[in-house]
Amino acid sequence: MTAAPITPLASALAHGPLVLDGGLSNQLEARGCDLSDDLWSARLLADDPRQIEAAHTAYARAGARVLITSSYQATYEGFARRGAGRAEAGALLRRSVELARRAAGAVEGAVWVAASVGPYGAMLADGSEYRGRYGLSVAELERFHRPRVAALVEAEPDVLALETVPDVDEGEALLRAVEGCGVPVWLSYTVAGETTRAGQSLADAFRLAAGNDQVIAVGVNCCEPGDAGRAVEIAARTTGKPVVVYPNSGEAWDAEARSWRGRPTFDPARVRAWREAGARLIGGCCRVGPDRIGELARTMVGDAGQ
């Protein structure tokens, strides 16, 4: 398997911004994969892992220098519902890191692997990750996350992406779950305006990571592109850390029609404002494909040369 980059991700960020990948699910669907299962893209870890590796490779070739694994919706509980025991589920979680690492080897230069640790609501597969407030305590959420964190850490990712976090309680639980695991993390909330999806102040949400040396970046993902700029400013001001930002395309999901509506508003040109505000890990989330990531990479390279 391809070796991890020699330079730690935190050190690389000190030298300048890096391009993240885009939405994994939309790239898999573009390749003809059916993701209607509750496990979403994680189903392919068992059924067709080559598709996941190919999707990662497309982003690496487009210019992404950080690849986020297919483990967002991968949990012991979710795999158990499809009949996988704990040993098999643990192997599938580790496989998500291995596939991204292999894809990283398809291009020259350093490419880091971020193991996705999605929110509790992703396991429920009912959209509750965009509401938060599940009725569970911080301790209960910590117990849920800790085993999958341990499995992902065994596969030696470069960073854990604590992503699409909808509220402060889950942010606290995730930081507790990763404490002492030996792998750096980034903490990324999904937001609406200047609040978490649960309606909490972003300054309060980001403050959880202030002073935590394990957290190498804080920010937002899976949100409207128009909401990202202000969130980047708040994250940088509150924590003094590098900021991670990877919003959606700007289209909206129509649950009744089971289709996307509206027009994309993701504009790679926004990267200049995000960088000026403190963004150092910049990419896309849902419906942002390799073509857009390629534009983003070219924009960042062009700006660096000016």
Side-chain angles (χ1 to χ4, degrees), residues 50 70 107 136 223 306:
R50 291 174 299 177
S70 54
V107 298
L136 300 178
C223 62
Q306 293 179 359

Side-chain angles (χ1 to χ4, degrees), residues 85-110:
R86 290 192 69 82
E88 181 183 357
L92 292 173
L93 282 159
R94 293 189 294 273
R95 178 179 291 173
S96 70
V97 176
E98 294 160 5
L99 293 171
R101 189 72 79 191
R102 285 210 296 263
V107 298
E108 294 184 3

Side-chain angles (χ1 to χ4, degrees), residues 2 18-19 34 36 83 89 103 126 155 158 180 207 228 231 237 245 274 277 285 294:
T2 304
L18 293 173
V19 181
D34 178 7
S36 58
D126 62 359
D158 301 299
R207 200 168 286 119
R237 184 181 67 244
V245 55
W274 294 343
C285 202

Side-chain angles (χ1 to χ4, degrees), residues 30-119:
R31 293 181 55 81
C33 300
D34 178 7
L35 303 184
S36 58
D37 186 275
D38 280 353
L39 283 173
W40 204 26
S41 55
R43 177 184 63 81
L44 297 177
L45 286 169
D47 294 349
D48 200 348
R50 291 174 299 177
Q51 291 283 12
I52 294 175
E53 183 178 348
H56 286 315
T57 300
Y59 282 115
R61 288 176 173 162
R65 287 300 168 260
V66 181
L67 302 176
I68 303 175
T69 67
S70 54
S71 50
Y72 173 81
Q73 207 144 339
T75 64
Y76 283 98
E77 293 81 358
F79 285 133
R81 288 198 295 265
R82 61 167 286 155
R86 290 192 69 82
E88 181 183 357
L92 292 173
L93 282 159
R94 293 189 294 273
R95 178 179 291 173
S96 70
V97 176
E98 294 160 5
L99 293 171
R101 189 72 79 191
R102 285 210 296 263
V107 298
E108 294 184 3
V111 177
W112 290 263
V113 170
S116 173
V117 183

Side-chain angles (χ1 to χ4, degrees), residues 164-190:
T164 324
V165 181
D167 64 43
V168 174
D169 285 351
E170 187 151 32
E172 182 180 352
L174 281 162
L175 290 177
R176 287 187 185 182
V178 302
E179 186 175 359
C181 75
V183 177
V185 307
W186 79 57
L187 176 63
S188 178
Y189 290 93
T190 177

Side-chain angles (χ1 to χ4, degrees), residues 13 16-22 188 191 193 202 217-237 241-250 264-286 288 292-293 295-297 299-300 303:
L13 293 179
L18 293 173
V19 181
L20 288 172
D21 58 9
S188 178
V191 303
L202 281 186
V218 296
V220 293
N221 75 288
C222 208
C223 62
E224 290 287 332
D227 288 340
R230 181 64 179 141
V232 170
E233 294 172 5
I234 296 170
R237 184 181 67 244
K241 294 179 180 290
V243 178
V244 56
V245 55
Y246 48 121
N248 295 333
S249 70
T265 58
F266 183 94
D267 183 356
R270 293 179 188 262
V271 68
R272 296 185 181 95
W274 294 343
R275 285 178 59 178
E276 290 175 2
R280 293 295 178 268
L281 284 165
I282 306 171
C285 202
C286 299
V288 178
R292 285 298 197 189
I293 295 303
E295 291 178 41
L296 181 62
T299 298
M300 288 175 65
D303 286 351

